Amino acid sequence: MAAIWAARHGAQVSLLEGSTQCGRKILISGGGRCNLLPTNSSIHDFYTSGSRNVLKRLFRTWRLEQIQNFFPQELNLPLEEEEATGKLFPQAQKAKIVRDTLLEAAVQAGVQVLCPFRVVAIEKFDDGFSLHQEEGKSLHCHSLILATGGMSVPQTGSDGFGYRLAKKLGHKILPTYPALVPLTSQDKELQQLAGLSVEVGWRAVKNNKTLDQGVQPLLFTHQGFSGPAILDASHWVVRDKAELLVAWENYSTEDWEPYLKSRVRQGLLKALADQLPRRLAALLLARSGLREDMRCGNLDRGKTQTLFRNLCDFPLPIHSNRGFAVAEVTGGGIPLHEINPSTMESRKCPNLFLCGEILDVFGRIGGYNFQWAFISGRLAGEQAAKSLLEH
Ligand SMILES: Cc1cc2nc3c(=O)[nH]c(=O)nc-3n(C[C@H](O)[C@H](O)[C@H](O)COP(=O)(O)OP(=O)(O)OC[C@H]3O[C@@H](n4cnc5c(N)ncnc54)[C@H](O)[C@@H]3O)c2cc1C
């Protein structure tokens, strides 16, 4: 996106891709279908440890509706909404079409694509940069846009080396961590529920304070937990060591209380299993110290409280996370205050521009990360070209 907009604004642009093909991460995105954008978004869908006002300003430079129109109108790539989730996919439901269309648009705009060209070192001169390849080949440019991504799924080419390049050019790198990542558990009984997906109301809690919450499906896996609820909540656990509490099916005590009262003669397992997957219901009863055939009407106060805690505030026993190998994005990175938010130009190194996941911004699942990459990429490309042509 940065290359397209730089070329559209009259710059002579070379796109250097270190991997054997461009946009490999696009190819694996959205389960191979590429969830290109969300239908709606707000600033609350994004995370940064930097200024939210800066983020707001950046998002105003290319509004979601304009990006949604850009693909069908300017790139002839129609999008389709997945009704259940509100996610936008290419109508063809193939990520490859997105990658090919973007690459074609770059070439049509006059971009020279050099692939593979892995940059192993960058030298800064008064009049620009020299980008060096391992084989000794190098290329000189006046302005440089660093769009090397984060370090999640490193075999796609974004292996974190870009952070080292940025550091050499004077940037600070905030500690990086896997975000939007499945979590692991050593709880064997919960692991045995692998494959089960349950809607949950989740809360990330630290020191009795709720940091974030949502209502999404949770998937039990052989290693622990995944699914949209876990991916979106994971960074609170990985970065802030928060606890995750879930309400199964998002039912509260106020939902369960009258429900159980209306079934006083029924056995607990039957009553719970009418609302929850049976294996989960049985496990929650066992953990509450209750017999499956105990009648709903025979619960005493203490046992009811334990049961309600397990039903509505179940603390997920989390051990760790699955790491960068499977994380969808990288948290941390180059702090927002080290760029000029009007131009995406580095405040540390003139004529260097930064965009995408390398910066300390990421979105939740649902197309928000491409939205960020597109917004920051377009602005970086446009402004890099403008500053170049002004000289
Ligand atoms: C499995 C998975 C699924 C995802 N699904 C979605 C989704 O459906 N929707 C969504 O919005 N987001 C999704 N994401 C996140 C999204 O793909 C990224 O946030 C986005 O691609 C970031 O864009 P970027 O251009 O900043 O970096 P990247 O897409 O990572 O691109 C960086 C490029 O720089 C190249 N590079 C790195 N170092 C060098 C170097 N030294 N020299 C030359 N080239 C270099 C890399 O090879 C790479 O091609 C997913 C991520 C993963 C891992």
Side-chain angles (χ1 to χ4, degrees):
M1 193 61 85
I4 291 171
W5 286 88
R8 282 183 173 198
H9 279 82
Q12 190 188 331
V13 183
S14 296
L15 192 160
L16 278 50
E17 169 53 57
S19 176
T20 47
Q21 53 174 319
C22 293
R24 286 177 72 184
K25 205 165 265 179
I26 298 175
L27 295 181
I28 61 165
S29 67
R33 289 161 61 216
C34 184
N35 172 201
L36 199 59
L37 287 168
T39 33
N40 295 299
S41 82
S42 86
I43 203 74
H44 304 293
D45 297 311
F46 297 86
Y47 304 92
T48 175
S49 55
S51 158
R52 299 197 73 76
N53 280 336
V54 165
L55 209 53
K56 270 188 208 159
R57 226 173 115 176
L58 289 169
F59 277 85
R60 279 199 291 265
T61 64
W62 207 19
R63 297 202 177 267
L64 179 60
E65 203 186 275
Q66 294 173 299
I67 315 176
Q68 287 168 347
N69 289 334
F70 170 78
F71 283 94
Q73 288 173 8
E74 295 194 36
L75 301 191
N76 198 20
L77 183 78
L79 305 181
E80 197 168 273
E81 180 183 342
E82 186 180 69
E83 257 181 51
T85 59
K87 296 176 179 178
L88 292 178
F89 292 87
Q91 211 171 60
Q93 305 291 327
K94 286 197 176 79
K96 188 171 179 299
I97 284 194
V98 176
R99 193 279 306 268
D100 292 351
T101 302
L102 283 167
L103 204 52
E104 201 180 294
V107 172
Q108 268 177 14
V111 174
Q112 176 196 29
V113 179
L114 303 176
C115 175
F117 190 121
R118 169 107 178 146
V119 177
V120 294
I122 301 175
E123 269 183 290
K124 172 87 178 100
F125 300 101
D126 286 345
D127 67 337
F129 303 85
S130 272
L131 310 174
H132 301 290
Q133 248 185 331
E134 208 143 53
E135 298 78 39
K137 250 200 274 172
S138 53
L139 191 121
H140 194 80
C141 62
H142 178 272
S143 297
L144 173 65
I145 302 173
L146 202 56
T148 45
M151 56 201 290
S152 49
V153 194
Q155 68 270 30
T156 57
S158 41
D159 55 5
F161 192 73
Y163 296 125
R164 278 207 250 166
L165 295 173
K167 204 170 168 187
K168 283 235 162 103
L169 293 170
H171 280 283
K172 191 169 135 186
I173 312 297
L174 296 173
T176 51
Y177 55 91
L180 308 189
V181 65
L183 300 172
T184 62
S185 176
Q186 292 182 324
D187 189 318
K188 294 268 178 286
E189 286 177 346
L190 290 175
Q191 284 175 0
Q192 278 168 14
L193 299 181
L196 208 67
S197 175
V198 191
E199 181 96 343
V200 296
W202 61 265
R203 285 193 300 134
V205 177
K206 190 166 182 192
N207 301 331
N208 291 325
K209 197 176 152 218
T210 299
L211 303 174
D212 197 4
Q213 55 193 338
V215 182
Q216 287 154 302
L218 173 150
L219 175 71
F220 289 96
T221 69
H222 291 295
Q223 293 89 1
F225 314 106
S226 190
I230 297 302
L231 297 184
D232 272 352
S234 61
H235 66 280
W236 297 110
V237 178
V238 177
R239 188 189 57 193
D240 300 292
K241 312 273 174 284
E243 188 179 24
L244 278 192
L245 301 174
V246 299
W248 307 106
E249 295 293 353
N250 194 29
Y251 292 150
S252 65
T253 311
E254 287 72 38
D255 297 316
W256 282 112
E257 226 161 13
Y259 175 76
L260 294 177
K261 272 192 186 143
S262 71
R263 297 184 168 218
V264 282
R265 287 173 177 280
Q266 201 169 57
L268 279 171
L269 181 61
K270 169 82 180 93
L272 260 56
D274 280 352
Q275 301 300 328
L276 305 177
R278 193 178 179 83
R279 286 189 295 153
L280 175 63
L283 185 141
L284 295 174
L285 283 177
R287 297 225 167 161
S288 308
L290 292 166
R291 281 203 345 256
E292 295 180 356
D293 58 357
M294 181 190 244
R295 289 191 179 181
C296 296
N298 287 352
L299 276 169
D300 65 35
R301 222 162 164 238
K303 290 214 163 119
T304 310
Q305 273 182 359
T306 313
L307 178 61
F308 284 174
R309 227 185 356 263
N310 281 328
L311 287 170
C312 311
D313 259 330
F314 185 85
L316 291 179
I318 291 158
H319 176 63
S320 187
N321 68 80
R322 303 268 321 275
F324 286 113
V326 294
E328 287 204 7
V329 291
T330 304
I334 299 174
L336 271 186
H337 65 255
E338 292 194 353
I339 55 146
N340 174 345
S342 303
T343 60
M344 304 306 291
E345 186 172 5
S346 160
R347 291 190 198 275
K348 302 285 169 189
C349 176
N351 301 322
L352 171 69
F353 294 77
L354 297 145
C355 62
E357 203 177 310
I358 194 172
L359 290 161
D360 170 34
V361 178
F362 69 90
R364 56 189 196 86
I365 58 160
Y368 300 95
N369 286 294
F370 283 133
Q371 187 189 352
W372 165 244
F374 297 151
I375 288 174
S376 56
R378 172 183 173 272
L379 187 60
E382 180 190 274
Q383 295 299 322
K386 279 188 180 166
S387 85
L388 186 72
L389 299 174
E390 275 164 16
H391 280 83

